[in-house]
Amino acid sequence: MTATNRPSAMKIVKPVARQCADLEERLRALPDDVTEQEDALFRSLIVTDLTPWQAEQVTTPPSVHESQREVLATHWHPEFVPMGLIRQRIEAMFPGREDQLIIPTQHNELTSWDGYTGVEVDCYSSGFNQKVQLLLHFESRRVAPAAPAAQVAHSHPDATGLTGPTHATPDGAPLPAHSLLSGDSTHTGAHTLCSMLAHTRKYRASQLYDYVRAVVRPDDNVAGPAVRETGADDDVLAFARLMTGKFSRLLETHDAAMPEDMIKNKLLRNFIDGLRGDWEDTFIDRVQAYLKAVKEQVKRRFPLDYFYRATEFIEEAHGLGGCVVIPHPEQFWPILLAEYDVDGYEVWNPQSSRYTEFLISVANRKNRGPGLSRREILVFMGDDCHLGEKTRPREQQDTEKAAREVGLQPAWDDPAVRKRLSLTGVSRASVIRDYRARLAG
């Protein structure tokens, strides 16, 4: 280093040192109690009514695809966004559409659209000791509620009026997973499926509380790997513990007003993001990186024993005249090897796009050769759009998730993929036709 550049280096170091000192001072000054501002932030995150600017953001897509004639969307999540606003977005995006098959797949909750009902379920692949997910699709008439009123704990109507009755014990807890497939004759129609989903939904939501505990009371098994992965320092750890502790108290304070659909891991992410106006973005980014790493550790350790087996959901869906699709299978390779009796594979997904051509060839081979399934394997592509992401301020959106759109799967138009699909005559139009017929029975 020369004498001429030594002063400029010191000019860089001093502001950084001052920033560190300022950060430490601000962290020491943070109150342990929840502030009015933090309470207001939390309440704003659990409100499901959209403001005018949010509604406009939902109904105004960033691009229009005038030449797309068919819209096939069998894997997407409305979350808390009204179906009417979603319909406006789809109509604006695809003004030239001539045919469509659109089925929403909320996580562990039945939702409907134009005569079709769907759900994405969390379940357990016992042969591989791994949590997996399945898409269940139905004509809505097959899963209309038909349960005695005395056995319905509560109902969750969606925007189309379909309700999902759920079983509960007298204290409000879901019945144990193993008790609902015992041949009880009171579980008529889709009542058993709704009960299975209610149990799964409540158990899956409990992961948020495990996540919060792991941050507030860190141990070497969970927090240790997260610290090593992200390089989180004492300031990040102190801020994460304090603010997650406040978040925990806010969860308890507002429990009665919490919509069930809001009890998700990403609620903590959104809460921390809401603090950006008071803290440097780079610091919040470091906190979020650490929290995400902790979340992944918690998910890996989440007990699987209380999930239903994949075969139980498959049998229940087919028993009701529905169909089953394996979503983003490259994340769950073992489920392809299990020879489950399913109706289709999702060969492309924004999270799973590396092996599309290979997965198409797998489906083709299964259709040509003998196997346990008597059904032809159909090829699907899933946009995996989460509409709730589109209600967040643009600067706080997850860029990758925000880019997903209902019915937009670019792989259908990829030349290499189209060539592979053309060998068996598969297209959006053919899948819509064939799947619609299969759902009709």
Side-chain angles (χ1 to χ4, degrees), residues 68-380:
Q68 186 170 319
R69 295 293 176 258
E70 298 86 20
V71 177
L72 175 61
T74 56
H75 181 186
W76 59 281
H77 309 278
E79 300 188 301
F80 54 89
V81 178
M83 292 293 193
L85 298 182
I86 299 172
R87 188 180 298 274
Q88 290 182 50
R89 187 181 187 90
I90 294 174
E91 290 174 351
M93 277 197 70
F94 307 109
R97 69 195 183 288
E98 298 171 354
D99 196 10
Q100 64 184 35
L101 180 59
I102 299 175
I103 310 177
T105 51
Q106 199 89 300
H107 285 292
N108 303 307
E109 182 177 5
L110 293 170
T111 49
S112 298
W113 180 287
D114 289 352
Y116 292 97
T117 296
V119 61
E120 181 172 16
V121 299
D122 293 303
C123 49
Y124 172 52
S125 180
S126 57
F128 302 97
N129 193 35
Q130 182 173 329
K131 184 178 82 72
V132 296
Q133 292 169 311
L134 297 172
L135 302 177
L136 312 184
H137 301 126
F138 307 88
E139 285 192 339
S140 294
R141 63 184 175 86
R142 299 184 184 277
V143 289
Q151 295 180 345
V152 177
H154 48 78
S155 298
H156 300 286
D158 71 4
T160 63
L162 181 73
T163 58
T166 61
H167 281 301
T169 59
D171 64 358
L175 290 173
H178 58 77
S179 73
L180 295 175
L181 297 180
S182 58
D184 187 340
S185 61
T186 61
H187 295 132
T188 59
H191 205 70
T192 299
L193 175 62
C194 290
S195 298
M196 293 167 70
L197 293 174
H199 169 88
T200 303
R201 190 165 60 247
K202 189 162 187 176
Y203 179 59
R204 180 65 178 79
S206 71
Q207 189 179 98
L208 172 62
Y209 299 93
D210 289 355
Y211 177 25
V212 167
R213 280 191 294 271
V215 178
V216 175
R217 297 194 293 272
D219 61 53
D220 289 340
N221 293 327
V222 177
V227 170
R228 290 190 291 273
E229 178 185 337
T230 62
D233 58 22
D234 290 343
D235 290 341
V236 167
L237 298 179
F239 185 86
R241 280 197 301 270
L242 177 61
M243 299 312 300
T244 304
K246 294 187 178 190
F247 174 85
S248 178
R249 295 196 292 277
L250 287 164
L251 275 176
E252 184 177 354
T253 299
H254 297 286
D255 177 68
M258 283 278 291
E260 188 177 29
D261 189 49
M262 289 296 181
I263 306 176
K264 297 178 179 179
N265 293 334
K266 65 181 179 182
L267 184 60
L268 177 56
R269 179 203 71 175
N270 295 347
F271 179 73
I272 299 298
D273 266 346
L275 304 172
R276 287 184 181 273
D278 297 323
W279 297 84
E280 291 286 338
D281 282 345
T282 52
F283 178 67
I284 295 297
D285 288 344
R286 290 163 54 206
V287 173
Q288 292 285 34
Y290 167 69
L291 291 175
K292 183 177 181 180
V294 172
K295 180 184 70 175
E296 292 306 317
Q297 292 294 326
V298 170
K299 290 170 72 172
R300 291 191 191 107
R301 290 166 171 75
F302 197 61
L304 303 177
D305 298 346
Y306 301 102
F307 285 112
Y308 285 98
R309 292 189 297 274
T311 51
E312 292 174 316
F313 270 116
I314 292 170
E315 291 168 5
E316 189 64 27
H318 284 157
L320 291 168
C323 295
V324 182
V325 174
I326 299 176
H328 32 71
E330 80 176 50
Q331 294 185 7
F332 306 120
W333 283 117
I335 204 169
L336 292 176
L337 304 176
E339 293 289 347
Y340 287 129
D341 185 16
V342 299
D343 298 86
Y345 296 159
E346 195 174 82
V347 301
W348 182 92
N349 181 293
Q351 299 181 78
S352 307
S353 57
R354 184 176 177 184
Y355 298 106
T356 298
E357 293 177 63
F358 171 73
L359 291 169
I360 293 171
S361 68
V362 170
N364 289 341
R365 282 200 303 274
K366 286 184 176 291
N367 289 335
R368 289 196 302 266
L372 296 181
S373 175
R374 299 177 182 177
R375 296 173 175 80
E376 178 183 356
I377 299 295
L378 300 177
V379 168
F380 291 85

Side-chain angles (χ1 to χ4, degrees), residues 48-64:
T48 56
D49 294 333
L50 302 189
T51 63
W53 72 264
Q54 288 176 311
E56 183 179 2
Q57 200 161 273
V58 168
T59 58
T60 309
S63 60
V64 175

